[in-house]
Amino acid sequence: MRRALTGIVAAAVLAAADLVAESRQVAVSPEVTVRIESDEITLSAKPLPGEGLDAFVLRVTDDTRTKKRIQELNRDVRHLRRDLFVNVPYALLSPAYKKIAIEALFTQDRAEPQAWVHVVSEESKAPESLWKISEWFTGDGANYKKVMTAGKIEALPTAPGQSVRVPRDLLLPAFREAVDAAVAPAPPAEAVLEYGADEQGRYALYRLARGEALYSAVVVRFTGLLHAEDVNAKAAQIARRSGISDVHAIPVGFGVKIPVEDLAVEFRPRGDPERIAEEKSRLEASQYANRVEADRLSGVTVVLDPGHGGRDTGALVEGIEEARYVYDIACRLERRLSKETRAKVHMTLERDAPCPARLSDKIGETRSARVRTTPPYALEDSTIGVNFRWYLANAILRKAEKQGGAAEKTVFLSLHADSLHPAVRGAMVYVPGEKFLTGTGVKTGEIYSARREVRDAPKVSFSRRERVAAEGVSTDLAERIVGSFRAAELPLHAFAPIRRNVLRGGREWVPAILRYNRIPSRVLVEVGNLNNPEDRQLLVTRSYREQVAGALVDALVAFFRPEKDPTVTAQIPGAEDVKAR
């Protein structure tokens, strides 16, 4: 009986695979489009400037052995043209491009701890095959039984709008990495917000749950604001808008009205122009995830930048100076990288007393800190000091390239401890958002021209491709850091631990240390919030600072050991059923 039932279920799965779905096409960027037709996904891409066929194949599929199959599917293409798209079936795509294709077509999909949640498209004329869903996310349609069991799916075929949970252990690498980086279940905006309008304009309604506060559950979560003055001001505005007289006595289930224009873009209504533009920008950047491998960081240059120093203490809360504690973390990180990896490490700062050779509870001074330019700059002015740091980082990159290194094997980590609203806690990672990297960075004056690093390359500007690539590869590094912090059970920001820009006082920008920095993989890590008592208590302990250093080492090692998709090679011979478009 069980065998017969299994046969019936399998037949239903295969029958569903034969149903014809509506053909849909999504433009990710001017160079990349994705389409789905009859449950078959195809990504079409144009070559990059100067990119030959071999390089194109390696970039899009991660395996040069797919070249022959791609030529067959594209009428034996031998020479690429910048104006023509090359079609690549989903089965042959690299892990990164598989994730791009899925997120472009299924915008409600999301990563949650321990599972990827696929939401069956409501735009399809027929239900998606559970076999095909399993094939997309696990590489093998036969895994549909395990997907059914894990997701407690009792009926076939799937229905539009249905959520299908694919367990982490079954997932292909790109989706598994996203799951590992997921902070908490993140349902789409439509699942937690109700949208409406009244005489004051459009709003999103959120009903407070038991134990939730207006500051953290609403303002921090849905607007993206972090700094105390911004959070407090916005909470007061939202309270007035919602008819709340006492923000400390809001009943459970009370509907809080948030003006749509105040929402972070990911919480805007579906179809909102800013949300659509943001999603496409993020997808375009994700094409540039790191694909360079380096065993134990061999050949990798790591630039460590302890924030502040000299006359600038950074955040100062209850006698705790940001500069001293992040310098201590940088010293621990430098020590571990030198001991545990083959990386070459450069610190942007130096001080009278070098980093201790052994672990110590003692926190060194940073008043003598100076930027290691030629000649060094004593940190009298914090703004000038930041400018010299990115000039120095660019000089280190140039030197690494002259010595035969690749820009892709150079990374930059700036370490800080923020001072935010007390309700915010945990680490965050900032990456250089593409739209904030326009313009030219150049500093003039005697103090700058006196430094060799400035004279050698005084101006910095980026092409659009460089801007997009920097956001993409830096986000990849940030995701590794978040995943590593999670694995070490270190606190992370609850809602959005990775950010493309700073939002404060009604302005948005990328910190100068990232904006004018030419190192492609560059991040600014806020290891905690000094205004939060729990974070502050952690930062002053040696064990926490050592854990942070260890987590960052693990993240760097993982970043340069990209996990290949094991299904690509196996599927090349059997790809004959994929028709050329």
Side-chain angles (χ1 to χ4, degrees), residues 315-321 325 530-533 536-537 540:
L316 177 60
V317 182
E318 295 191 4
I320 306 301
E321 294 182 6
Y325 285 88
L530 285 177
N531 271 338
N532 180 278
R536 189 167 62 249
Q537 186 176 5
V540 298

Side-chain angles (χ1 to χ4, degrees), residues 284-559:
E284 183 181 10
S286 64
Q287 299 175 71
Y288 296 95
N290 180 49
R291 294 180 177 85
V292 178
E293 296 188 29
D295 183 45
R296 292 182 59 204
L297 305 185
S298 178
V300 171
T301 298
V302 179
V303 182
L304 299 181
D305 174 50
H308 308 283
R311 298 179 64 179
D312 178 14
T313 64
L316 177 60
V317 182
E318 295 191 4
I320 306 301
E321 294 182 6
E322 174 188 359
R324 296 179 65 194
Y325 285 88
V326 297
Y327 201 109
D328 181 79
I329 293 174
C331 285
R332 293 171 186 275
L333 180 52
E334 179 187 40
R335 180 178 179 274
R336 295 191 66 153
L337 284 170
S338 300
K339 181 179 178 181
E340 301 170 17
T341 76
R342 299 172 181 170
K344 186 173 183 180
V345 184
H346 293 268
M347 292 270 273
T348 61
L349 301 186
E350 61 184 5
R351 61 184 179 183
D352 290 347
C355 291
R358 297 182 179 181
L359 297 178
S360 171
D361 285 328
K362 185 179 179 181
I363 298 294
E365 59 81 29
T366 55
R367 297 304 171 95
S368 66
R370 48 198 173 268
V371 185
R372 302 177 73 173
T373 49
T374 311
Y377 173 72
L379 284 163
E380 297 293 324
D381 183 291
S382 60
T383 299
I384 295 174
V386 168
N387 292 330
F388 279 137
R389 293 174 203 239
W390 58 258
Y391 270 118
L392 176 61
N394 295 345
I396 293 171
L397 176 62
R398 290 195 302 273
K399 183 176 180 180
E401 290 177 316
K402 287 180 181 178
Q403 293 176 347
E408 293 78 13
K409 277 195 170 185
T410 306
V411 295
F412 178 91
L413 279 74
S414 188
L415 303 178
H416 291 257
D418 222 330
S419 177
L420 308 172
H421 190 280
V424 179
R425 78 163 306 205
M428 291 188 298
V429 187
Y430 286 91
V431 302
E434 178 273 328
K435 67 179 181 180
F436 301 98
L437 303 182
T438 57
T440 300
V442 57
K443 301 301 173 182
T444 58
E446 184 177 348
I447 195 167
Y448 288 107
S449 61
R451 269 72 188 179
R452 185 178 66 193
E453 291 78 7
V454 179
R455 294 195 303 270
D456 288 349
K459 294 184 179 181
V460 176
S461 62
F462 302 99
S463 67
R464 185 177 184 280
R465 179 172 173 267
E466 287 175 321
R467 300 196 307 268
V468 174
E471 179 182 332
V473 73
S474 299
T475 300
D476 188 11
L477 175 57
E479 288 172 348
R480 306 284 179 164
I481 293 172
V482 167
S484 187
F485 269 59
R486 177 164 296 103
E489 299 184 344
L490 299 175
L492 287 161
H493 180 62
F495 303 119
I498 299 175
R499 306 215 165 200
R500 302 169 66 200
N501 62 280
V502 176
L503 174 60
R504 186 171 188 176
R507 294 179 54 241
E508 296 180 274
W509 72 92
V510 163
I513 195 67
L514 300 181
R515 181 175 180 182
Y516 300 117
N517 195 321
R518 294 205 63 87
I519 296 176
S521 306
R522 54 190 190 267
V523 296
L524 187 154
V525 182
E526 299 281 4
V527 298
N529 173 21
L530 285 177
N531 271 338
N532 180 278
E534 294 172 281
D535 278 6
R536 189 167 62 249
Q537 186 176 5
L538 278 177
L539 188 62
V540 298
T541 64
R542 183 183 74 180
S543 60
Y544 174 74
R545 298 193 301 276
E546 187 65 27
Q547 282 181 296
V548 169
L552 291 172
V553 171
D554 291 344
L556 289 169
V557 170
F559 181 65

